[in-house]
Amino acid sequence: MKIAFTMKGINLSGQEQVFQKPWFITFIMFFAMALSLVFDKSMYSKSNGMYESLIDEAPNGEPKMSWSKKVKMVSIPAVFDILATGLCSMGFLYIPASVWQLLRGAEMVFAALFAVIFLRRKLLAFHWLGVALCVSGIILVGLASVWGSGGGSDDGKGQDAKLLLLGMGLALGGQVVQAAQVIAEEWLLKEVDLPGLTIVGFEGVWGGLIMLFFAFPLLYFVPGDDNGHLEDELDSFAMLRSSVPLAAMILVYTFSCATYNMAGIAVTGALSAVHRVMLEAFRTSIVWIFGLTVHYCFDPASPFGEAWTPYSWMEVVGFFVLMLGQAVYGEMIHVPGLKYPEGLAKPEAMASPGALKNLASPLPPERTS
């Protein structure tokens, strides 16, 4: 995504322009999700008549929710996903990839708070400690990014602190909506016992349709800097036609999104909170190491590189504090003196896009007492 945002193409006016189209990238994500239906065996079974009825039966033999209604229910989380991905993509325009990756840890904080408010879940002391550590880590990352924004000015890559703050604000706003999506899926999709690929695929279908018929027209008619529009999608297609490398990068992004969702479905339930934190830490480290390597080993002026500033140590500390907070919250690390319930089952990740972005549920367990 970040690479595509730095590439250029010829727009409708015949001028070369940087491809900064966050909402078009959001649409591509939904298109990739919809491709999951091609690999969903249950869809072919239904079309071949192996399902006698579109009405599923409850254990007592009475009909509960129809298959068509379950599919329609998936449209509600799709709206959350549009807003979350769009906001995060807009934020990605202004902040380094490593900072954007670290700020994704804020979703757990907002999901925990929303679970208390809307799902009436109870957080214990170790949960609150984990949330506090995550908040502290995010603050350290944000301060390091803003204070170090002028540290790379010698290579022409110094960034405006206001734009960094805007980018971080948009990314955090996206995490708020993403957390709301997890809550909505927990509340709405409990009885939607469709296969995971079906849920992901139809959320992609609904998201794509909503963007085509509502979001894109709205973006076109709202005034902005993209040929007088907030985002001109006709211009997006013109730029793709004019640049083979840009079109190839969009295809790579489509492939990565599709395979990520299908791989997530395949391992859902097999991954614990330990796996989730380890994978998140590994992914963040790879992104950061890649940026540093590009800057110091290849091209200091590359938009893909990231310089080490006098405040980068704060970002490193924030990274470890954030990982520690997630480990405490997920009960991977037990803090002496704090109460931990015994025999309480951990919440399982739902086979839905909101949960798949975490590979494990960010919600606290549901307690009966």
Side-chain angles (χ1 to χ4, degrees), residues 20 23 70 81 107 117 145 157 216 226 236 254 261 292 298 306 342 346 351 361:
Q20 295 187 338
W23 294 99
K70 292 177 183 179
D81 215 352
E107 181 186 346
I117 297 171
S145 182
K157 287 169 58 180
F216 283 171
D226 191 6
S236 301
T254 304
N261 281 296
L292 292 172
F298 294 97
E306 186 171 343
E342 297 181 0
K346 302 291 189 304
S361 175

Side-chain angles (χ1 to χ4, degrees), residues 85-369:
T85 307
L87 288 172
C88 288
S89 298
M90 290 176 67
F92 212 173
L93 296 173
Y94 309 113
I95 57 179
S98 64
V99 174
W100 184 85
Q101 186 67 37
L102 286 167
L103 291 178
R104 292 179 73 252
E107 181 186 346
M108 188 208 76
V109 175
F110 296 121
L113 296 177
F114 289 163
V116 172
I117 297 171
F118 299 107
L119 299 180
R120 305 301 181 185
R121 302 279 177 92
K122 293 183 64 176
L123 297 184
L124 298 181
F126 72 89
H127 285 128
W128 289 113
L129 176 59
V131 169
L133 287 170
C134 287
V135 171
S136 301
I138 291 168
I139 291 174
L140 286 172
V141 170
L143 290 176
S145 182
V146 173
W147 289 347
S149 59
S153 57
D154 58 328
D155 54 25
K157 287 169 58 180
Q159 292 178 277
D160 188 345
K162 293 181 179 179
L163 290 179
L164 282 170
L165 287 172
L166 173 62
M168 288 188 288
L170 290 169
L172 288 174
Q175 297 312 304
V176 172
V177 181
Q178 201 78 69
Q181 180 187 350
V182 173
I183 299 298
E185 290 177 347
E186 180 78 10
W187 182 45
L188 295 171
L189 303 186
K190 276 293 188 181
E191 296 184 8
V192 179
D193 51 352
L194 295 171
L197 281 179
T198 306
I199 293 179
V200 171
F202 275 109
E203 183 162 327
V205 171
W206 284 116
L209 291 175
I210 292 171
M211 292 213 67
L212 282 173
F213 293 103
F214 295 98
F216 283 171
L218 180 63
L219 292 168
Y220 187 84
F221 287 110
V222 173
D225 298 329
D226 191 6
N227 297 323
H229 314 285
L230 190 59
E231 185 166 309
D232 187 349
E233 305 309 339
L234 296 176
D235 189 66
S236 301
F237 286 106
M239 294 180 70
L240 288 176
R241 287 196 303 269
S242 70
S243 174
V244 174
L246 177 58
M249 186 55 60
I250 294 299
L251 287 176
V252 170
Y253 178 71
T254 304
F255 176 78
S256 66
C257 287
T259 52
Y260 178 84
N261 281 296
M262 287 185 281
I265 288 291
V267 301
T268 296
L271 295 183
S272 64
V274 178
H275 297 112
R276 177 177 69 86
V277 172
M278 290 177 62
L279 285 173
E280 193 68 25
F282 180 72
R283 180 165 55 180
T284 303
S285 301
I286 290 297
V287 170
W288 205 349
I289 291 172
F290 174 81
L292 292 172
T293 302
V294 169
H295 180 84
Y296 289 104
C297 298
F298 294 97
D299 182 9
S302 172
F304 311 134
E306 186 171 343
W308 182 272
T309 73
Y311 299 97
S312 291
W313 65 269
M314 290 178 59
E315 193 170 342
V316 175
V317 174
F319 166 71
F320 284 107
V321 171
L322 189 58
M323 293 299 107
L324 177 62
Q326 293 183 351
V328 171
Y329 182 89
E331 300 183 51
M332 287 173 284
I333 296 178
H334 282 208
V335 180
L338 297 184
K339 179 183 177 182
Y340 289 85
E342 297 181 0
L344 190 64
K346 302 291 189 304
E348 296 182 356
M350 296 178 64
S352 59
L356 288 176
K357 287 182 174 67
N358 300 282
L359 298 177
S361 175
L363 299 177
E366 188 172 3
R367 306 179 189 280
T368 56
S369 60

